[in-house]
Amino acid sequence: MSFTVAIVGRPNVGKSTLFNRLVGKKLALVDDTPGVTRDRRPGDAKLVDLKFRIIDTAGLEEAGPDTLEGRMRAQTEAAIDDADLTLFVVDAKSGLTPLDKTFGELLRRSGKPVVLVANKSEARGSDAGFYDAFTLGLGEPVPISAEHGEGMLDLRDAIVEAIGEERAFPEPDEEAETDIDVPAPAASAGGEAEEEEVEPAYDETKPLRVAIVGRPNAGKSTLINRFLGEDRLLTGPEAGITRDSISVEWDWRGRTIKMFDTAGMRRKAKVQEKLEKLSVADALRAIRFAETVVIVFDATIPFEKQDLQIVDLVLREGRAAVLAFNKWDLVEEPQAVLADLREKTERLLPQARGIRAVPISGQTGYGLDKLMQNIIDTDRVWNKRVSTARLNRWLDGVQVQHPPPAVSGRRVKLKYMTQVKTRPPAFMVSCTRPEALPESYVRYLVNGLRNDFQMPGVPIRVHFKAGDNPFEGRKKKR
């Protein structure tokens, strides 16, 4: 992107609505409650022919540095420092407040270009607030309606004037055209394609999407800040600080990692407020779009009922899961506690036998490299593909060792097996009378696949399909 723009203003003036309008998606949570946004959220914006990077920020408030509002203001000031241009949003409907004038002075002292935006200008009686915005001394305000998309052309012109034509429309780099060599398909020694199916290698260069989930106050944001080496996300002793699912990127051993911080997920019965419901829905969306999900447990109070429900939710969504026992620096007898956690993991999570669990400390950085290696290893298993030939040899062996049971005097026959998809691994078995196969034998096959093909801790799907009967529908000869 050619330049970066930060959206700032006091709470409830429509900053997140404008952010969603510019990125073309409903990424940021929007509600009538002031102070919904707390962390700075980046996005890729497009405004007519302009393309730039935009940052949504928390509402500016006057508060001490040790308070939650003070830490939110520090995040906003960091966004202003990182940006090349600031959109200062005021509410034309309700008019200026002393906060607007205070932060107008702050932006003037920053020395960076500022575009004054008068939002909600479509409302009746907004003219007074619009003309009052001239008193801020930041130039002519741009009247817009972020909710209805009015005034976007004027906003585009104001941004171009403030940032400059050269910065707004950089010339594309002249790159020499290179010929792309397309390799010829490899042939076998005999000149014919190999009959044995080749299992594809794991791509260790592709970007990896990781979601961090867990109960409130488990230390999710602190963990991500430790990974990044900076206070990128808002943290504190208060439970439920994070509301939006914020994504951050960094490189780990040469591989791009895109990590999503999510809101703490409480029991459904306790979620009553609309805003918390929106936060939980945003966290669920992050789980569905992630590849690997790290469920953060509080090591001092692990395996609460909600922890187990979150793990079950992740597995039912088909995601690769890794457990992280956070706050390990507070554990007094680590060896005894670790042995107890391993026993409880095997006993309480039988549906994810072999799931990887790592003790960590987001506060001190203990165990983070091991956690990342386990994330990569789990994603490798999640993407694993087994050749059909190996699967059918294995299927013959498990049937000899433990034949399918006879149901109503007739034995179920398993004929053929193949892998139909990855992410998570899913298999199809052609058999007779699939509806009669007991659940216990299905678990036997799943556990066998998990053990014999080294697929611990990831969901495994096995589907059964009745083979076509070539004689079905034919009339008997007399």
Side-chain angles (χ1 to χ4, degrees):
M1 296 295 168
S2 55
F3 58 96
T4 302
V5 176
I7 304 177
V8 303
R10 61 181 173 84
N12 214 30
V13 295
K15 299 183 297 299
S16 295
T17 304
L18 177 58
F19 174 85
N20 288 341
R21 171 71 59 181
L22 294 176
V23 299
K25 302 176 184 177
K26 291 185 178 180
L27 294 181
L29 295 184
V30 177
D31 192 69
D32 293 335
T33 307
V36 172
T37 303
R38 288 175 171 173
D39 283 293
R40 43 190 163 127
R41 174 192 283 276
D44 295 330
K46 182 177 181 182
L47 182 59
V48 193
D49 54 348
L50 281 180
K51 291 184 179 180
F52 52 92
R53 188 161 180 79
I54 195 161
I55 306 174
D56 187 21
T57 65
L60 286 163
E61 297 184 67
E62 290 185 306
D66 296 332
T67 63
L68 177 60
E69 290 77 12
R71 299 196 299 274
M72 290 163 59
R73 175 171 174 171
Q75 290 283 327
T76 299
E77 290 175 348
I80 295 173
D81 292 338
D82 293 341
D84 303 302
L85 170 72
T86 302
L87 297 183
F88 183 28
V89 183
V90 297
D91 188 339
K93 182 179 178 181
S94 61
L96 294 188
T97 68
L99 271 179
D100 291 318
K101 297 178 181 179
T102 300
F103 297 124
E105 287 291 332
L106 184 149
L107 292 175
R108 190 181 293 107
R109 291 195 300 269
S110 70
K112 300 220 175 151
V114 178
V115 173
L116 182 59
V117 179
N119 192 27
K120 307 181 185 179
S121 294
E122 85 287 0
R124 183 176 302 175
S126 62
D127 291 345
F130 170 74
Y131 289 114
D132 198 17
F134 280 91
T135 62
L136 292 172
L138 295 172
E140 182 179 353
V142 181
I144 70 163
S145 171
E147 180 70 27
H148 303 290
E150 298 177 5
M152 293 297 111
L153 286 176
D154 294 335
L155 179 60
R156 176 260 182 206
D157 294 340
I159 291 175
V160 172
E161 183 179 353
I163 201 72
E165 291 268 354
E166 294 182 358
R167 195 73 182 275
F169 304 104
E171 295 182 2
D173 296 334
E174 295 182 1
E175 298 181 356
E177 296 184 1
T178 57
D179 295 330
I180 301 175
D181 295 328
V182 181
S188 61
E192 297 179 357
E194 294 284 350
E195 293 184 2
E196 182 73 20
E197 181 184 352
V198 178
E199 297 174 7
Y202 177 68
D203 185 3
E204 297 186 354
T205 61
K206 69 178 182 65
L208 180 62
R209 297 190 301 272
V210 181
I212 308 294
V213 303
R215 290 186 290 117
N217 214 25
K220 301 181 291 297
S221 299
T222 304
L223 172 62
I224 296 179
N225 283 343
R226 177 61 64 174
F227 273 126
L228 298 175
E230 61 173 307
D231 292 334
R232 170 63 181 81
L233 300 172
L234 192 64
T235 61
E238 304 90 349
I241 289 179
T242 303
R243 285 175 173 167
D244 290 90
S245 294
I246 306 296
S247 64
V248 295
E249 287 189 14
W250 85 99
D251 287 339
W252 185 79
R253 297 181 182 178
R255 184 170 186 178
T256 301
I257 306 294
K258 187 169 186 178
M259 191 166 278
F260 295 82
D261 185 26
T262 63
M265 301 170 68
R266 298 196 298 164
R267 283 189 297 163
K268 191 174 182 179
K270 289 188 175 183
V271 180
Q272 301 293 336
E273 297 181 0
K274 175 187 174 184
L275 188 54
E276 187 172 2
K277 291 180 179 179
L278 293 174
S279 298
V280 173
D282 205 28
L284 294 176
R285 184 177 63 179
I287 291 174
R288 294 187 184 103
F289 281 95
E291 295 166 317
T292 303
V293 179
V294 178
I295 302 100
V296 180
F297 285 44
D298 187 336
T300 59
I301 45 172
F303 290 109
E304 295 283 317
K305 184 178 180 181
Q306 181 65 2
D307 291 325
L308 300 176
Q309 289 179 340
I310 293 173
V311 177
D312 187 61
L313 169 67
V314 171
L315 295 175
R316 282 190 283 110
E317 287 291 339
R319 306 298 99 181
V322 177
L323 306 186
F325 294 106
N326 195 21
K327 305 184 182 180
W328 199 249
D329 53 309
L330 303 179
V331 175
E332 296 181 357
E333 299 179 3
Q335 293 300 325
V337 173
L338 185 60
D340 181 60
L341 291 177
R342 285 174 176 168
E343 184 274 329
K344 287 182 177 177
T345 301
E346 292 294 325
R347 176 167 52 86
L348 298 175
L349 297 171
Q351 72 274 37
R353 185 170 298 176
I355 189 171
R356 291 173 169 85
V358 186
I360 64 167
S361 172
Q363 196 69 37
T364 65
Y366 170 79
L368 296 197
D369 275 344
K370 187 176 180 181
L371 175 61
M372 280 305 307
Q373 188 59 57
N374 277 270
I375 290 173
I376 300 297
D377 293 343
T378 301
D379 184 66
R380 187 191 305 272
V381 174
W382 195 60
N383 284 272
K384 188 169 187 175
R385 181 173 289 279
V386 184
S387 68
T388 301
R390 288 182 64 197
L391 284 173
N392 283 284
R393 287 194 295 266
W394 174 83
L395 184 63
D396 292 339
V398 295
Q399 288 189 90
V400 170
Q401 184 178 357
H402 185 187
V407 181
S408 301
R410 297 168 56 194
R411 187 171 297 279
V412 178
K413 296 179 182 179
L414 307 183
K415 303 176 181 178
Y416 175 83
M417 184 176 190
T418 187
Q419 184 171 358
V420 292
K421 67 180 288 290
T422 59
R423 304 161 60 93
F427 304 88
M428 191 277 292
V429 180
S430 177
C431 64
T432 61
R433 304 170 63 213
E435 72 285 349
L437 198 65
E439 189 64 30
S440 59
Y441 198 80
V442 176
R443 287 196 300 270
Y444 165 70
L445 294 177
V446 170
N447 291 333
L449 287 167
R450 198 183 299 281
N451 294 331
D452 296 337
F453 294 104
Q454 289 77 49
M455 293 190 287
V458 299
I460 295 178
R461 312 282 195 246
V462 180
H463 307 284
F464 297 89
K465 178 183 178 182
D468 295 333
N469 185 355
F471 300 102
E472 186 176 1
R474 290 190 181 183
K475 295 182 178 180
K476 292 183 180 180
K477 293 182 179 180
R478 296 182 180 178

